[in-house]
Structures are given as structure tokens and as C-alpha cells.
Amino acid sequence: MEVCADPGLLKDPGSDAWVKVLSSLDCKYSFEPQAIPCSITWRRNMPNTLSTPSFVNAPSASQPDLNQVLPLADLEGSSTKTYSLAVIGLDAYRRCNQEHSRQQALSPGKQSSSSQPGPELCMTQEEILEALVVLQLWGNIEVLFLDTWQEFGQHVSALTKAIGKRPYKRQLESQELRFCTAGAWASRVRLEKDGTGLWQVWKRQIQQFNRVSPATAATIAEAYPSPSLLLQAYEECSTEDEKRLLLSDIPVKLDVSSKDRRVGPDLSRRIYLFMVSTDPDLVLDLST
């Protein structure tokens, strides 16, 4: 990944803060003129270049001018591209505006023509909200308000990492069972290179059978710590009935106050059929 920033972003005195964050990223970055002033684009150095979004940054001095960054008059309809506009220091701009108005009210005679605020300093809250409506609803542009250039650098860093992972996420989304690897709700088991965690995966696979408690799944996984060991045990059985009832007499470890019980013939039969059957339409649970 390469971050391409417009040189106009370096004009602000506080821009060195976000450049420092950019330097800490494990990617290339360059400063070259962009199609939109004060904007950032991302470039992926690979044969088949993927389309990447652009990030538009508003000047963060106490007098931001949205019209200089993205002319509102040119937004004649909803855009097919997604842009993001960062406004840095809006709260400082409002405080500066209020202080300017207060000083002008207290000593109007001392205001010289050279100290009069420019048109951009006279923007009201209603005008800002109106610009937000045009940008967000009409122009399909995300607007992000940041207080410092440090926060801007952190946001650029997060965007760079997200764009870098986009091809991998698209590949996951194209998989048939992509929901199995997405979301913290799945409580996934962490697998280490030395095999740690495989037993937990095997136990959870057994627990996916209908009407199987965690204690029952743990009991079977302890008796046969892997699917290959269970298949090996089936091969050592001499008859089909022996294979179906292989797991039925294994005692399930329960609490002291609970009654002793076993895996049972029904679950033993279902697990056996699941392990050896080649019929994808086979119904394991007879109660369904």
C-alpha cells in the first residue's frame, strides 16, 4: 500500500503530527498533487490495480472553507463514488468566531478595516448544518470532525490498514460459509502452530449434534481426542452393531449431585453415521 497525499496538507503548522503517524505505518507514502486539493488517495502496488477510495481533508486552520475543498455547486446529483471529508478544528473555529463577535460587540469603534473577519469566519451554525446536509445526503460524502492533526493521522492510519485488508475480506465474503469466520459472537477457538486448540475444535464439533451437552461432548473428546482416533476405533470393530454402539457405554462426567448417565445408543449411532457415511442427504436425527 502507498499513501499519496496532496502537498497542500503540509501548509498547516500542525501537519507534522499526522505525518509522524504516517511515517510509523508499514507502507510507502508520497506527497504529489491530487485531483482534489488537500486530499489523500491510496495506491496498491500490484499488477491488477483495485479501485481505492479517496479521502478529502478540509483545511484545519480556524477558518475552514468547504467551497475551496469540494465546490458544493458542482454536486448536481448523488455521486457514485464514496468520499470522506475530514474537518479539523471545528470547535476551535467556533470559539474563535464567538470571541471575535464578543470583541466586536464590546469595542466596535476599535475595529479597523484590516481586522475585519473574512467571509469564511462569518459562517453560522445553520450554514454549517446546511453544508453537512448537502455533503452527506446529496453528495453521498462522509463527514468526520476531528479536533487535532494527531487524530487525523490516526484516522488515516486506520483507513490505510482497512484498505490493505480489503482484498482478503472480499475473498472471505466470496466463500460459501463466510459467516463461520465473522463476528465475535462465534466464539472461535484459537489454533496455534503446535496444535493447541484442536481438541477444543473437535469437542465443539461434537457439541453441534442435536441434544448434545458440553459435558457429553467433552466426555467423547476425552475418550477419542481426535477424529482420526475415532475412525481408527471404528475400523477395529468387527460388526456394524459394534461400531454403532461404540460410544454408547461411555460414562458422562457430571456434577456430584447429578445422576450418572452414559452417551447412549442414539448419539453413538448418529456420530458413527456422520463419520463414515458418504450420503450428503442422510438424516442423522430420527426424531426430526
Side-chain angles (χ1 to χ4, degrees), residues 14 26 66 199 272 275:
D26 188 17
L66 298 178
W199 185 85
Y272 167 69
M275 296 293 293

Side-chain angles (χ1 to χ4, degrees), residues 56-78:
V56 185
N57 169 50
S60 73
S62 59
Q63 303 174 0
D65 187 356
L66 298 178
N67 290 298
Q68 292 182 0
V69 180
L70 194 63
L72 303 184
D74 295 339
L75 297 177
E76 299 179 355
S78 298

Side-chain angles (χ1 to χ4, degrees), residues 4-9 30-41 43:
C4 305
D6 190 88
L9 292 171
S30 60
F31 294 93
E32 52 190 64
Q34 301 296 313
I36 301 178
C38 297
S39 67
I40 295 177
T41 58
R43 183 164 52 212

Side-chain angles (χ1 to χ4, degrees), residues 63-65 67-68 93 97 116-124 127:
Q63 303 174 0
D65 187 356
N67 290 298
Q68 292 182 0
Y93 160 75
N97 196 4
Q116 293 295 326
E120 66 278 1
L121 197 58
C122 298
M123 292 181 64
T124 63
E127 292 173 337

Side-chain angles (χ1 to χ4, degrees), residues 64-234:
D65 187 356
L66 298 178
N67 290 298
Q68 292 182 0
V69 180
L70 194 63
L72 303 184
D74 295 339
L75 297 177
E76 299 179 355
S78 298
S79 175
T80 57
K81 296 183 179 180
T82 301
Y83 294 90
S84 180
L85 174 66
V87 181
I88 304 174
L90 181 61
D91 291 338
Y93 160 75
R94 289 174 177 173
R95 289 193 297 268
C96 179
N97 196 4
Q98 293 174 358
E99 182 66 22
H100 218 333
S101 301
R102 187 181 302 109
Q103 293 179 359
Q104 188 175 9
L106 293 176
S107 55
K110 296 182 180 180
Q111 293 288 338
S112 61
S113 58
S114 60
S115 62
Q116 293 295 326
E120 66 278 1
L121 197 58
C122 298
M123 292 181 64
T124 63
Q125 179 66 16
E126 290 75 15
E127 292 173 337
I128 296 177
L129 293 177
E130 182 181 353
L132 286 177
V133 171
V134 174
L135 290 170
Q136 293 176 336
L137 300 182
W138 191 254
N140 192 27
I141 297 172
E142 178 187 4
V143 181
L144 182 68
F145 294 97
L146 303 172
D147 293 331
T148 63
W149 281 98
Q150 181 72 19
E151 294 181 3
F152 175 74
Q154 294 172 356
H155 184 65
V156 172
S157 175
L159 280 177
T160 304
K161 294 178 181 179
I163 296 173
K165 295 179 180 179
R166 177 174 294 179
Y168 172 72
K169 291 184 177 180
R170 285 180 175 176
Q171 183 179 6
L172 289 181
E173 292 176 355
S174 63
Q175 296 178 1
E176 184 177 0
L177 300 177
R178 59 184 181 274
F179 55 85
C180 292
T181 58
W185 57 269
S187 300
R188 292 169 291 176
V189 177
R190 183 179 180 85
L191 298 179
E192 304 295 344
K193 293 182 179 180
D194 59 355
T196 303
L198 288 175
W199 185 85
Q200 291 289 342
V201 174
W202 170 229
K203 184 186 72 172
R204 293 195 182 189
Q205 286 178 331
I206 299 174
Q207 193 174 341
Q208 290 180 13
F209 284 90
N210 193 20
R211 302 185 305 277
V212 175
S213 64
T216 302
T219 299
I220 298 174
E222 289 177 359
Y224 300 95
S226 69
S228 60
L229 293 177
L230 181 56
L231 287 174
Q232 182 179 350
Y234 285 138

